[in-house]
Amino acid sequence: RRFLMASAITFTALAASGPLAIAQDKPVIRMSTPASETDQRSVALATVFGPAIAEFATYQPHYNASLVPQGSELEAIASGDLEMSITSAQELANFLPEFSIFATGYVHRSAQHQVNVFSDPLMDPFKEKVESELGVKLLAVMYLGKRHVNLRFPRSEKNIMTPADLAGVNLRMPGSDAWQFLGRALGANPTPVAFTEIYTGLQTGSVDGQDNPLPTVVDAKFYEVTKQVSLTAHLVDLNYVAFSKAVWDKLTPEQQATVQKAAEDAAQAGREGQLKKEDELVAFLKDQGLEVYEPDLNAFRTHVQAQYVGSDFAKAWPEGVLDKINAIAD
Ligand code: KDO
């Protein structure tokens, strides 16, 4: 495992234009994500986070995984090649298996439940371990939305009401064990594909479908190459705002407080944007000719939960944490 050695800060010198101008060195905060520039999380970070820290740091976003490939962001932060990302519990589970509890189907119940879980003391040991083992601070929780099953087939060919209906369906899931496990738990045949390759995969038929929240289905235009959405809501999905601890440690306490508040405010703005879109987009997708319908949610929930019981993932969950999460209100 890699620890942070060198400074993760890169400096830009603002050119001094006259004899009285004072050159200013500001750390550049490079943020890499597979998400697009128009994704609500990206918009919130660019319009809320960036401006809030502008006095002492330069926020520099990189979209569509153009700087760091999806899934390598945490390593990039740990090795000083990146200052910030929005990471998933599934990615964290690659390093710290106990994080799979937050990547498990039907555990988080809503956007508010995510916030309440993240600010509960039960998260403290999780956050501390990410800091000490990866050199990453988790500043806030961002809402991605409820993930649903989105397929190329019309409903007349595949009607997805229960997990059994997904048998043999090649469902693109992100490429990590926790994601692939979730795909199998849904009853599908999961196939790992990077986010930026999904559209082509759907278009050419190398995958039968994918799972993402409705705002992503629309933002990434997956609706152009699919025919249906079964509203399985199998994961109320999140990203954590991940910030380099090496950079954090170089900030003054006031600057740290500003960064912390900026992350929380951006997360709040992103959450509001994403929730609003989730509400509106069923109608939009139906207008585009997609069939959008609710399956037997009880059948999905029962089946998915049963797959986790006794799994290696569940063995990594600290005792009592699942009960605590379940007891937290939304
Ligand atoms: C995806 O690859 O399906 C996923 O939704 C996984 C998330 O954790 C997140 O990384 C997201 O992609 C990207 O931010 C693109 O929206």
Side-chain angles (χ1 to χ4, degrees), residues 33-36 39 41 70 73 86-91 144 147 172-174 179 193-195 198 210-213 216 237-239:
T33 175
S36 74
D39 180 288
R41 293 159 299 160
Q70 180 176 26
E73 297 91 346
I86 47 174
T87 192
S88 63
Q90 290 83 351
E91 284 158 353
L144 181 52
R147 295 181 83 96
R172 176 274 171 183
M173 299 290 290
W179 281 117
V193 175
F195 181 78
I198 298 176
Q210 66 92 32
D211 86 308
N212 255 296
T216 305
D237 203 9
L238 58 75
N239 291 121

